[in-house]
Every structure is written in structure tokens, then in C-alpha cells.
Amino acid sequence: MKTQYVHPRLILGTSSLYRRELFQRLKLPFETANPAIDETPLQDEMPEATALRLAENKAHAVAAMYHDALIITADQVAVMEGIQLGKPLNYANAVKQLRLMRGKEVIFYTALCLLNSRTNRLQTRLVPYSIKFRALSDPQIEHYLSKEQPYHCAGSAKSEGLGIALIEWMKGDDPNALIGLPLIALVDMLLAEGVEII
């Protein structure tokens, strides 16, 4: 008879509903914890480095609360022509961002971190995903924002919602990375920690 496998405690360090919904696809029991860190980019820091640093800082913040768990965190930074695009937080900033991005390519760098807080083993991965936005008119931008308020999304659009209509094309290895949690890379990391998924 096969021995029943016991999963280690899994903690998803996030306050994001979207990341929680993505993680649920793996059908693993998990808890969430809010890392509550300062997410301000450092001066002259490359966007990729910002995403990785913040994902690691989130993991260590959560590990301080959970000493025998696998801590999963992520952070995302959007970049267009060298300009780092943060979360707009309000309507006016979202309009500015979408006007700036129309007809242009934006790269979303999603950093993923898995920290075993018992052994201190740390795995990180940076997963880029590129999007080209349509050449949107001002009325289209305003209409979109009246239907969907993506004010807590880097780049002011949610591809898993109406924001898909703003996109001309998408390129990358894992579409989940764009939403904020690269599940393909995460499965690799969990397997490396001995977590059975299927």
C-alpha cells in the first residue's frame, strides 16, 4: 500500500487576489500571508533586479513569521523603452500609462521566489513576458477604464479581463507570468523541494 504523502506547509506571500486564484489551479493546500514590504525601486536599479529583489524581500519577510514552510512570493515590473511602469493606483495615472503605451511593446518581468524557511534554500526565477498594445484612441482608453479599474496592475491592464482587447500580441513562455505568478516555473521549484503535484 502506498504511503500517504504529506505536503509541507505552503505559504503564498501575497495580498493579490489574482496570485491566489492562480495558485489554486495547482490544487495544493496553502495559506496566504501579506509580506507588507517597501516596494520602492532603488535609484539606478534595473527593472529585472527590482523585481527579483522585491520577490526575495517578500519571501524573507514572510519567513520571519513561518519557520518551517515553503514560502512562495512574486513581484512584477513593467518596462517600456527603458521606462519602468508601476501600478497606476488611480484613473488619471492609468490614462497616462495607457496613452504612453499605445502602439508600443511592454515587457513584464515577473520574479518568482521559493524559500524553504526550514533549510534557507532559496530558488528564484525571472520570467519575462512581452505585450504589444494596440494603437488605442483616447475614447477607447477611457471606455476601457470605465469598464475595468486595473489601478493595482502594473501597466494599467488586466489580460485576464477586458484588457485582452487592448493587446495586439503577446509573447512568452508562461501566460500566467503576465497575471503575476509563473506557474510553470513554480511547478519546477516545488518539484525541486519534493512537493508532489500530480
Side-chain angles (χ1 to χ4, degrees):
M1 190 167 91
K2 186 177 177 183
T3 307
Q4 180 67 34
Y5 176 75
V6 179
H7 282 286
R9 193 175 188 186
L10 299 176
I11 310 294
L12 181 62
T14 189
S15 58
S16 166
L17 174 64
Y18 310 112
R19 288 192 178 114
R20 287 198 298 269
E21 288 174 350
L22 283 171
F23 193 84
Q24 286 171 350
R25 294 182 189 179
L26 298 181
K27 308 293 186 196
L28 296 171
F30 73 101
E31 302 164 57
T32 58
N34 186 349
I37 65 161
D38 179 1
E39 297 190 28
T40 307
L42 301 177
Q43 187 174 357
D44 300 323
E45 186 176 41
M46 296 298 291
E48 303 96 312
T50 299
L52 282 166
R53 177 179 59 82
L54 294 179
E56 287 186 36
N57 287 354
K58 289 176 182 180
H60 288 294
V62 174
M65 299 179 274
Y66 298 91
H67 304 293
D68 190 9
L70 296 179
I71 313 294
I72 300 146
T73 56
D75 194 80
Q76 186 179 74
V77 176
V79 183
M80 185 207 69
E81 297 175 346
I83 301 167
Q84 191 165 317
L85 306 168
K87 297 172 183 175
L89 302 180
N90 60 50
Y91 174 84
N93 288 338
V95 168
K96 285 179 194 172
Q97 271 196 355
L98 289 171
R99 284 177 178 167
L100 188 67
M101 297 184 305
R102 56 184 159 199
K104 295 184 178 169
E105 181 179 355
V106 178
I107 302 172
F108 291 79
Y109 291 103
T110 304
L112 178 65
C113 182
L114 177 63
L115 173 64
N116 184 325
S117 62
R118 182 173 53 83
T119 65
N120 285 320
R121 180 183 183 198
L122 179 72
Q123 298 179 65
T124 59
R125 188 89 60 92
L126 187 70
V127 183
Y129 206 86
S130 299
I131 285 182
K132 184 172 181 193
F133 282 85
R134 296 183 187 279
L136 304 164
S137 66
D138 285 351
Q140 285 174 318
I141 289 170
E142 290 156 16
H143 183 70
Y144 167 67
L145 293 174
S146 74
K147 296 271 186 185
E148 195 165 67
Q149 291 81 43
Y151 305 139
H152 293 280
C153 300
S156 302
K158 293 191 290 188
S159 65
E160 67 275 24
L162 182 60
I164 198 70
L166 309 181
I167 296 168
E168 189 171 312
W169 53 254
M170 305 186 334
K171 292 179 188 171
D173 293 333
D174 186 349
N176 300 299
L178 183 58
I179 303 170
L181 191 66
L183 292 180
I184 293 172
L186 180 55
V187 167
D188 288 342
M189 291 178 171
L190 289 168
L191 289 171
E193 282 290 345
V195 176
E196 293 183 8
I197 297 166
I198 53 173

